Short mmCIF file of all heavy atoms in Angstrom, two decimals:
data_model
loop_
_atom_site.label_atom_id
_atom_site.label_comp_id
_atom_site.label_asym_id
_atom_site.label_seq_id
_atom_site.Cartn_x
_atom_site.Cartn_y
_atom_site.Cartn_z
N ARG A 94 115.11 106.98 113.99
CA ARG A 94 115.24 107.59 115.31
C ARG A 94 116.62 108.21 115.52
O ARG A 94 117.61 107.71 115.00
CB ARG A 94 115.04 106.48 116.35
CG ARG A 94 114.49 106.96 117.65
CD ARG A 94 114.13 105.78 118.51
NE ARG A 94 112.69 105.57 118.53
CZ ARG A 94 112.10 104.63 119.26
NH1 ARG A 94 112.83 103.81 119.99
NH2 ARG A 94 110.80 104.50 119.25
N GLY A 95 116.66 109.30 116.26
CA GLY A 95 117.93 109.89 116.64
C GLY A 95 118.56 110.76 115.57
O GLY A 95 119.68 111.23 115.72
N GLY A 97 117.52 113.67 114.72
CA GLY A 97 117.21 115.08 114.98
C GLY A 97 115.87 115.55 114.47
O GLY A 97 115.69 116.73 114.20
N LYS A 98 114.92 114.64 114.36
CA LYS A 98 113.60 115.05 113.86
C LYS A 98 112.95 116.05 114.81
O LYS A 98 112.50 117.11 114.39
CB LYS A 98 112.68 113.82 113.70
CG LYS A 98 113.13 112.86 112.62
CD LYS A 98 112.12 111.74 112.41
CE LYS A 98 111.94 110.87 113.65
NZ LYS A 98 113.17 110.17 114.07
N SER A 99 112.89 115.68 116.10
CA SER A 99 112.22 116.56 117.05
C SER A 99 112.99 117.87 117.19
O SER A 99 112.38 118.95 117.30
CB SER A 99 112.08 115.88 118.41
OG SER A 99 111.26 114.74 118.29
N ALA A 100 114.31 117.79 117.20
CA ALA A 100 115.12 119.01 117.34
C ALA A 100 114.92 119.93 116.13
O ALA A 100 114.77 121.15 116.28
CB ALA A 100 116.60 118.64 117.49
N GLN A 128 104.45 113.06 123.71
CA GLN A 128 105.27 113.18 122.50
C GLN A 128 105.22 114.62 121.97
O GLN A 128 106.24 115.17 121.55
CB GLN A 128 104.76 112.20 121.44
CG GLN A 128 105.54 112.19 120.14
CD GLN A 128 106.95 111.63 120.27
OE1 GLN A 128 107.21 110.75 121.09
NE2 GLN A 128 107.88 112.19 119.51
N ILE A 131 107.59 117.03 123.67
CA ILE A 131 109.03 116.93 123.41
C ILE A 131 109.48 118.12 122.58
O ILE A 131 110.49 118.77 122.89
CB ILE A 131 109.35 115.60 122.68
CG1 ILE A 131 109.14 114.43 123.64
CG2 ILE A 131 110.77 115.61 122.14
CD1 ILE A 131 109.30 113.06 122.99
N MET A 135 111.99 121.19 123.77
CA MET A 135 113.23 121.54 123.07
C MET A 135 113.20 123.00 122.64
O MET A 135 114.20 123.71 122.76
CB MET A 135 113.40 120.65 121.84
CG MET A 135 113.92 119.26 122.16
SD MET A 135 114.45 118.47 120.62
CE MET A 135 115.14 116.94 121.23
N ASP A 187 104.70 115.24 114.95
CA ASP A 187 105.91 114.52 115.33
C ASP A 187 105.55 113.04 115.51
O ASP A 187 104.65 112.71 116.26
CB ASP A 187 106.47 115.10 116.64
CG ASP A 187 107.91 114.63 116.89
OD1 ASP A 187 108.52 114.05 115.97
OD2 ASP A 187 108.43 114.86 118.00
N GLU A 188 106.26 112.18 114.83
CA GLU A 188 106.00 110.73 114.82
C GLU A 188 104.60 110.42 114.28
O GLU A 188 103.74 109.87 114.95
CB GLU A 188 106.24 110.12 116.20
CG GLU A 188 107.70 110.19 116.65
CD GLU A 188 108.72 109.55 115.69
OE1 GLU A 188 108.32 109.03 114.63
OE2 GLU A 188 109.91 109.58 116.00
N ILE A 215 106.99 114.45 110.50
CA ILE A 215 108.30 113.81 110.56
C ILE A 215 108.16 112.54 111.37
O ILE A 215 107.51 112.52 112.41
CB ILE A 215 109.35 114.75 111.19
CG1 ILE A 215 108.78 115.38 112.46
CG2 ILE A 215 109.81 115.80 110.22
CD1 ILE A 215 109.79 116.19 113.20
MG1 MG B 5 111.70 112.64 118.15
#
Side-chain angles (χ1 to χ4, degrees):
R94 208 171 257 183
K98 293 185 297 298
S99 297
Q128 182 68 33
I131 291 174
M135 281 194 176
D187 195 11
E188 295 304 0
I215 46 174

